Amino acid sequence: MIADRETRSTGAQVVLDVLVDQGVDVAFGYPGGAIMPLYDALYGHGLRHVLVRHEAAAVFAAGAYARTSGRVGVCVATSGPGATNLVTGLVDAMMDSAPLVAITGQVRTPLLGTDGFQEADVTAITHNITKANFLVRSADDIEPTLRAAFRLARGPRPGPVLVDIPQDILKAHTTRPINGAPQERTVPPVADATSIDRAIDLIRHSRRPLIIIGGGCRTSDAVDEFREFVALLGAPHTSTINGLGCAEPGDPHFLGMLGMHGWKAANKAVGQTDLVIALGMRFDDRVTGRTDRFAVNAKVIHADVDASEFNKIIPVD
C-alpha cells in the first residue's frame, strides 16, 4: 500500500503506482508505439513484467494467472493490432469469469476518429466481450478509472475489463494524489429467506437429489463449504469442466464430469434425478445438450452470484 502523496507524475507512472497499490505483482505484455510511455516508466519501477512474443499470449497468461492465483491478472498491449490481438483471450476470460484488467495504448487524442496509424476503436470492439471498458481522456482520470476497473474485474462475478489510454495521456503530467485506498470489493448478493426455505423444502422431499458444481464454487472460495454440504447430504454429485477439483478426492459419491465430454454415470444420473442442485454453474450447452431433455423429471435449485443466469437456459424452481 502506498502512502498518500501529491506529486507531479506522468500518466504512465500513475498507471504503475495504481497497479502496485491494487496488489499487482506481475504484468504480461508486448510493447509498441502507443504504449511505449508505460514501458519507459516501467524501467526501474520494480513491477515485474513478463515479455511475451504476441499479445494473445499476454492475455491468456494473465487469464491463467488469475485462475490459478485468485488475483486480478493484468496484460498490456499497444494500439490497433496490439489491442485487437487481445480479443480471443478477453472472450475466454469473460466466459470463464476470470478477473482480468487489460491496459491498451491508443493513438494521441487529436488523432482519435481520424483513422490514424494503428488506430482501432478498441472500446467498441470489446464492448460485448468485457464487463466494462474505458477510454481515458485525461491523466487525472487514470487513477479513478483503474480503481473502477479492478473493482469490476473482481466481481461479485469476476471478469475482464479493458482500459484504453491514448499515448499523449500516458505522457501527460498530473498532480492527482495516489490515495493508497484499500482494494474495493462489492458485496455479493444474498438469497432471500423465502428462497432458502423453499430450497430446504425441496431437498427434504427429494428422493434422488443430484448436485452439479461449477467454477463459481472455486471463484467464491467455497470449496470447503461445498464438500461439507455434499457430505451432510450424502448425495451424488457431478461437475462442469470448470468445477473439476471441487469434489473431495476419492469421494465415492462423485460421478465425474457432466455433459458432452463427461462420464456416462453423471449423464445417466441427470435423467434419473428428481432434484438438481446447481451451484455456481450456468447450464452451458456442453453440459445440458438438448434442454428439452435435460433433467425433465427434476425440480431445479440454482445458486449463483449472477442473478441474470437464473432461468436463462433451464427454468428453476
Side-chain angles (χ1 to χ4, degrees):
M1 190 76 66
I2 45 186
D4 291 354
R5 73 175 189 272
E6 186 164 327
T7 182
R8 187 171 171 79
S9 302
T10 66
Q13 290 168 332
V14 172
V15 170
L16 297 178
D17 285 348
V18 174
L19 291 183
V20 171
D21 192 47
Q22 290 295 305
V24 176
D25 58 0
V26 60
F28 306 87
Y30 189 79
I35 198 66
M36 196 57 72
L38 186 64
Y39 279 85
D40 290 339
L42 187 63
Y43 182 77
H45 184 275
L47 179 70
R48 182 186 174 207
H49 177 268
V50 175
L51 177 66
V52 297
R53 295 298 182 267
H54 191 280
E55 292 86 1
V59 67
F60 278 112
Y65 173 90
R67 288 169 173 84
T68 54
S69 70
R71 303 165 70 181
V72 178
V74 174
C75 63
V76 179
T78 194
S79 64
T84 58
N85 280 341
L86 301 179
V87 165
T88 303
L90 291 173
V91 175
D92 180 65
M94 189 71 171
M95 297 299 289
D96 282 355
S97 299
L100 190 151
V101 170
I103 300 171
T104 54
Q106 184 55 277
V107 299
R108 293 179 291 112
T109 49
L111 295 177
L112 289 171
T114 69
D115 295 326
F117 176 69
Q118 287 199 342
E119 180 187 7
D121 189 353
V122 66
T123 55
I125 291 169
T126 61
H127 175 75
N128 290 325
I129 59 171
T130 56
K131 289 186 68 178
N133 57 40
F134 305 92
L135 173 61
V136 179
R137 296 278 188 168
S138 165
D140 289 344
D141 293 335
I142 290 175
E143 181 194 356
T145 301
L146 280 174
R147 290 194 186 282
F150 274 87
R151 182 176 65 252
L152 289 166
R154 289 189 179 103
R157 181 174 182 169
V161 180
L162 183 138
V163 180
D164 197 34
I165 312 177
Q167 184 186 42
D168 56 323
I169 303 300
L170 289 170
K171 289 182 176 180
H173 285 82
T174 176
T175 56
R176 185 183 181 94
I178 303 297
N179 295 316
Q183 296 179 10
E184 300 179 63
R185 288 184 180 274
T186 52
V187 178
V190 177
D192 62 80
T194 302
S195 294
I196 293 173
D197 289 343
R198 173 67 173 146
I200 292 171
D201 185 62
L202 289 174
I203 292 171
R204 282 177 172 161
H205 289 89
S206 170
R207 295 173 60 92
R208 298 181 303 279
L210 176 69
I211 304 169
I212 306 174
I213 190 67
C217 177
R218 187 185 300 105
T219 302
S220 301
D221 195 24
V223 172
D224 289 342
E225 288 82 357
F226 166 68
R227 292 178 178 179
E228 181 181 3
F229 179 63
V230 296
L232 286 170
L233 288 187
H237 47 285
T238 180
S239 168
T240 69
I241 188 169
N242 283 330
L244 289 173
C246 292
E248 185 77 44
D251 188 333
H253 294 106
F254 180 56
L255 304 178
M257 192 173 81
L258 178 67
M260 177 182 289
H261 305 292
W263 290 19
K264 185 175 182 179
N267 290 313
K268 282 279 194 179
V270 171
Q272 297 175 10
T273 182
D274 62 356
L275 177 66
V276 168
I277 306 172
L279 305 175
M281 54 89 71
R282 56 188 177 87
F283 292 105
D284 179 76
D285 64 281
R286 301 292 94 170
V287 167
T288 64
R290 284 184 51 171
T291 55
D292 61 339
R293 295 181 179 178
F294 182 83
V296 292
N297 299 313
K299 298 287 187 180
V300 178
I301 297 170
H302 191 186
D304 198 273
V305 77
D306 184 356
S308 70
E309 292 294 341
F310 301 149
N311 297 302
K312 186 175 81 174
I313 298 172
I314 297 295
V316 301
D317 299 284

